[in-house]
Amino acid sequence: MVEKLPLDCVNVIVWNVLIAAAIKAARYKLAFELYYDMKRRHIQPNSRTFTTLFVGLSKIDDWTLYANILGRVFNTYDQLLAHFEKLRLTNPESPDITPWPLNGYLTLLGKTNHYARMWDVFYSMEGRLAPDEVTYSIMLRAIQSRLSLDLEPVETALDIEEKENQMMVQSETWSRFDDLDDAPEETLGLISRYFRPVVEKDGKESVHVKNAADARLLWEHLVKATRREPNRIQIDSSHVSLVLDLLAKGKPSDHLAAFDILHHYVDLQPPLSPSKISSSYKPSTTNVAGRLPITSFIFSSLLDLCVRSARVESAINYFQLLAEKKTAKNVIDWKHMLHVMRAFAMRRAPKGQVPDAREAISALEWMLREQEVRETTGNGGLNPAIDHFVYALTAAWKAADMNSALRVVELMTGMQRDKFINATPPVRESWKDRNTKQFPLPVMPQTPRYSRCRWNTTCMALLIKTAGATQRREDIRIALRILYFFGPSRFFGSQTGPQVEDAIAAQTELAKRTIWCIDYMLNTGDEERESAVWKKLRDIAADQLKRLAVTQVRNEEKAARQEELRRMETVEDGDMQLLVPVNGRRSGWATGM
């Protein structure tokens, strides 16, 4: 297609469009072929060309499938540096000397786990290529995406070939020895533990601590850059939210630094007194005067910071402060409310007092009312999830507040508590046959009142626990009637899937608490009118508890067998090592060094 175009039309702009189209179609190899073809035709790429390549390639999520392209990316970066050097010599003020292509390259390095290269590039950016606002956001997001310190950088095709050659040489080395005891220690790997420097006692550094340290370093660079060039770089909400999110997962000193950043840069009065906030950072007067408005991302990072630093009262106060502002309460969404409800569940009362769960119920009711208001105006974002109700029930259990727990039942299912005040019908052979004219029961809703919010085993266990915590017969009686109404089969069914352990734990807790509550009802106080119902429930709970114990043992045995099979595939360094088959022989050195 390019060959048929007139000569005056074949310029760098046309080639940039072609490269961008190839990348958009996920034909990355073709994009590089176009780039090389352009250079063969003596058309020099400009900064837009490199930006198109790096920004387009940075959208690749799984680079393990494109190892042959990664090597070309590194070579292209070297050509970009040569391009910038040529521009500096000819026109130091050229607008083509821009950090845009470097920003795309930094994003790419973060996705390929080349963090050392990423920092090298960042520190090399100076002059007209100095980092801008986007650069700092890219660096912070790359650090945020690092989930482990053990991640190996994605290898290029050349690296993979070199490793294969090393493995081939190693296999030839093994074949030269008739017995494993005759092989040199280097080939057996015995020096890996005994002849290396001793590992530090603290072990591996947590990835979250490392990320927080890197975030603080970047923040210091950003603050210095805003002081040097306030007209070119300014701190925005994305910087603050990313830094808060990273510092929230760090050490207590990182938490104090995060609160300090919040105090100086966000327009939200902190509930903490200034004396309790560290003053490690001294922002400029410009930043203090023009604080950033609260945004959804900043508020989410702020609440996560409060919860992770065990400052749950601060999280609750921040929520109440924002909910009272008519212009700011629209920032709050259901994810924020998860942090808020979790803070209520974690809340501890002062020594000698009992925590109050009524505030948690009020927050839940505010959420549901606000969602109804937003739906009328076409907005949303506050649809409740099952976790909101679970956290509210947890707060009620810790406070031994049965009224609050029953309010959660009403909000979640739509059934009123007074329906369970009357006596339940006597036991029948079938648990499904519970509704009769003599003993009417509430009509069970066909679908949950709120999507994703079905009254499940965890909710029922928390309700029974709350009733038991009150040690009031009236509360325990109501909780058992609710259990009888829904039917044990609803909560004690067999569980499968990735969350099977959590389900078994919830079922076990429900069975234990049910047995305790029924024993308390039958062995204390006056004789129960519904003693036959409670005995039937107790028998079912006892049977389920035995079944769950057997299931848990089987799951543990299965996990142990899988772990044993996994360990049999590897040879561990140490005094006691596993006997594993290597090249069809048993290793005689593996057990008796």
Side-chain angles (χ1 to χ4, degrees):
M1 181 181 68
V2 179
E3 296 175 352
K4 297 180 181 180
L5 291 175
L7 292 178
D8 56 347
C9 295
V10 182
N11 51 35
V12 67
I13 298 177
V14 174
W15 286 100
N16 290 346
V17 172
L18 292 175
I19 293 173
I23 292 177
K24 186 177 181 180
R27 301 184 64 181
Y28 307 115
K29 186 177 180 180
L30 176 61
F32 275 103
E33 290 176 354
L34 290 170
Y35 170 71
Y36 297 144
D37 194 14
M38 175 182 67
K39 297 184 67 176
R40 280 194 295 267
R41 294 171 183 266
H42 303 288
I43 298 177
Q44 294 300 320
N46 57 14
S47 297
R48 177 71 67 176
T49 308
F50 294 102
T51 302
T52 302
L53 274 171
F54 291 142
V55 173
L57 294 172
S58 65
K59 298 178 181 179
I60 299 176
D61 293 324
D62 187 5
W63 271 93
T64 57
L65 305 176
Y66 301 97
N68 57 336
I69 295 178
L70 189 57
R72 300 183 182 184
V73 172
F74 294 154
N75 293 333
T76 306
Y77 169 70
D78 295 334
Q79 297 169 14
L80 171 63
L81 296 182
H83 167 72
F84 282 145
E85 186 63 26
K86 184 177 181 181
L87 289 176
R88 285 195 186 98
L89 296 176
T90 56
N91 184 11
E93 302 299 325
S94 173
D96 272 358
I97 303 179
T98 171
W100 290 357
L102 294 177
N103 290 339
Y105 185 63
L106 287 173
T107 305
L108 188 149
L109 291 177
K111 289 192 173 183
T112 56
N113 303 327
H114 283 272
Y115 296 106
R117 284 177 181 261
M118 184 181 71
W119 282 103
D120 290 341
V121 174
F122 174 78
Y123 283 122
S124 67
M125 298 173 67
E126 56 185 8
R128 293 181 61 86
L129 296 176
D132 57 6
E133 298 173 358
V134 178
T135 307
Y136 288 101
S137 296
I138 290 172
M139 292 289 293
L140 289 169
R141 287 194 177 93
I143 294 172
Q144 189 182 43
S145 64
R146 181 171 54 187
L147 303 179
S148 173
L149 296 178
D150 297 329
L151 290 176
E152 294 291 337
V154 178
E155 298 176 329
T156 64
L158 185 61
D159 295 334
I160 295 175
E161 183 180 357
E162 182 179 356
K163 183 178 290 186
E164 290 177 351
N165 292 337
Q166 291 178 352
M167 293 177 63
M168 185 180 300
V169 171
Q170 185 177 6
S171 63
E172 293 176 355
T173 304
W174 279 101
S175 63
R176 294 200 304 268
F177 300 97
D178 297 330
D179 187 75
L180 291 178
D181 293 328
D182 298 331
E185 292 181 342
E186 290 79 2
T187 59
L188 296 177
L190 299 183
I191 65 173
S192 60
R193 178 173 180 177
Y194 298 102
F195 297 96
R196 286 183 187 174
V198 179
V199 181
E200 295 181 0
K201 293 182 179 180
D202 295 337
K204 293 184 179 179
E205 184 181 16
S206 169
V207 62
H208 298 303
V209 174
K210 175 62 175 175
N211 290 347
D214 290 346
R216 293 183 68 170
L217 180 62
L218 278 173
W219 180 260
E220 292 175 359
H221 278 278
L222 177 58
V223 171
K224 292 178 182 178
T226 57
R227 292 174 181 172
R228 288 194 307 267
E229 302 176 275
N231 296 328
R232 190 178 75 90
I233 298 181
Q234 292 183 353
I235 296 175
D236 58 24
S237 59
S238 66
H239 299 140
V240 175
S241 62
L242 288 169
V243 169
L244 290 180
D245 181 72
L246 289 167
L247 294 181
K249 301 171 184 177
K251 299 178 179 179
S253 59
D254 299 321
H255 299 159
L256 291 176
F259 279 111
D260 183 78
I261 294 171
L262 180 72
H263 175 67
H264 287 92
Y265 289 92
V266 180
D267 185 17
L268 188 64
Q269 186 67 26
L272 288 177
S273 60
S275 60
K276 294 183 179 181
I277 303 177
S278 80
S279 56
S280 56
Y281 298 107
K282 300 296 182 183
S284 64
T285 306
T286 304
N287 294 73
V288 174
R291 290 179 179 175
L292 298 169
I294 191 72
T295 63
S296 177
F297 296 106
I298 291 179
F299 192 52
S300 178
S301 300
L302 165 61
L303 293 175
D304 184 48
L305 169 65
C306 293
V307 172
R308 288 180 180 272
S309 61
R311 291 178 172 87
V312 294
E313 291 294 339
S314 298
I316 295 171
N317 292 335
Y318 276 123
F319 159 69
Q320 294 173 344
L321 183 65
L322 202 62
E324 293 173 357
K325 293 185 177 181
K326 294 182 179 180
T327 57
K329 67 179 181 180
N330 291 331
V331 171
I332 304 175
D333 59 22
W334 69 275
K335 294 181 181 179
H336 301 141
M337 292 305 299
L338 279 178
H339 292 296
V340 173
M341 298 308 298
R342 184 184 178 189
F344 279 114
M346 295 172 58
R347 197 178 197 179
R348 292 183 178 181
K351 188 175 182 179
Q353 300 182 16
V354 178
D356 191 354
R358 291 176 294 181
E359 286 190 60
I361 305 305
S362 299
L364 185 62
E365 290 175 338
W366 176 90
M367 175 185 178
L368 301 179
R369 288 196 307 269
E370 185 67 19
Q371 173 60 20
E372 293 178 359
V373 173
R374 293 187 185 184
E375 286 178 350
T376 59
T377 59
N379 298 324
L382 276 175
N383 288 316
I386 185 64
D387 291 339
H388 294 100
F389 296 101
V390 169
Y391 285 138
L393 287 169
T394 304
W397 162 57
K398 288 187 174 182
D401 187 352
M402 191 62 179
N403 288 329
S404 297
L406 291 176
R407 182 55 181 159
V408 176
V409 176
E410 294 174 344
L411 293 172
M412 190 172 179
T413 64
M415 298 184 298
Q416 300 301 315
R417 69 183 73 184
D418 56 0
K419 299 293 184 180
F420 298 98
I421 295 177
N422 298 324
T424 56
V427 172
R428 296 177 180 81
E429 294 181 1
S430 174
W431 282 89
K432 297 181 180 179
D433 183 20
R434 300 195 303 274
N435 295 325
T436 63
K437 294 181 179 179
Q438 249 183 348
F439 301 95
L441 282 175
V443 178
M444 184 180 296
Q446 298 296 325
T447 58
R449 187 177 183 184
Y450 301 99
S451 59
R452 304 180 298 166
C453 299
R454 183 176 179 269
W455 186 261
N456 58 17
T457 308
T458 302
C459 298
M460 192 68 246
L462 286 170
L463 182 65
I464 295 289
K465 289 172 68 173
T466 305
T470 64
Q471 295 188 0
R472 297 177 68 248
R473 299 175 63 85
E474 296 81 1
D475 295 336
I476 296 176
R477 190 178 294 116
I478 292 174
L480 292 176
R481 286 171 179 171
I482 294 175
L483 173 61
Y484 171 76
F485 165 69
F486 281 105
S489 60
R490 180 186 179 97
F491 309 110
F492 290 116
S494 58
Q495 301 291 336
T496 58
Q499 298 180 345
V500 62
E501 293 184 2
D502 296 337
I504 291 176
Q507 291 177 344
T508 303
E509 187 69 13
L510 176 58
K512 289 180 179 179
R513 298 288 178 165
T514 301
I515 293 173
W516 185 92
C517 287
I518 293 176
D519 289 342
Y520 181 85
M521 294 293 290
L522 297 179
N523 299 329
T524 61
D526 300 332
E527 184 178 355
E528 282 290 313
R529 293 173 54 191
E530 303 155 87
S531 59
V533 176
W534 306 153
K535 290 178 180 178
K536 180 65 174 179
L537 278 176
R538 191 191 188 286
D539 292 340
I540 294 176
D543 292 340
Q544 293 297 326
L545 193 59
K546 295 177 182 178
R547 180 188 65 83
L548 291 169
V550 174
T551 302
Q552 189 171 5
V553 169
R554 290 177 179 175
N555 291 341
E556 292 176 355
E557 291 177 349
K558 182 179 179 181
R561 287 195 299 269
Q562 292 177 349
E563 178 66 17
E564 186 69 19
L565 291 175
R566 186 189 66 82
R567 294 186 61 185
M568 286 295 293
E569 297 176 357
T570 60
V571 179
E572 298 180 353
D573 295 330
D575 294 336
M576 297 300 294
Q577 298 194 9
L578 297 172
L579 284 172
V580 297
V582 180
N583 292 341
R585 300 189 296 270
R586 291 278 180 175
S587 53
W589 52 268
T591 56
M593 284 196 305

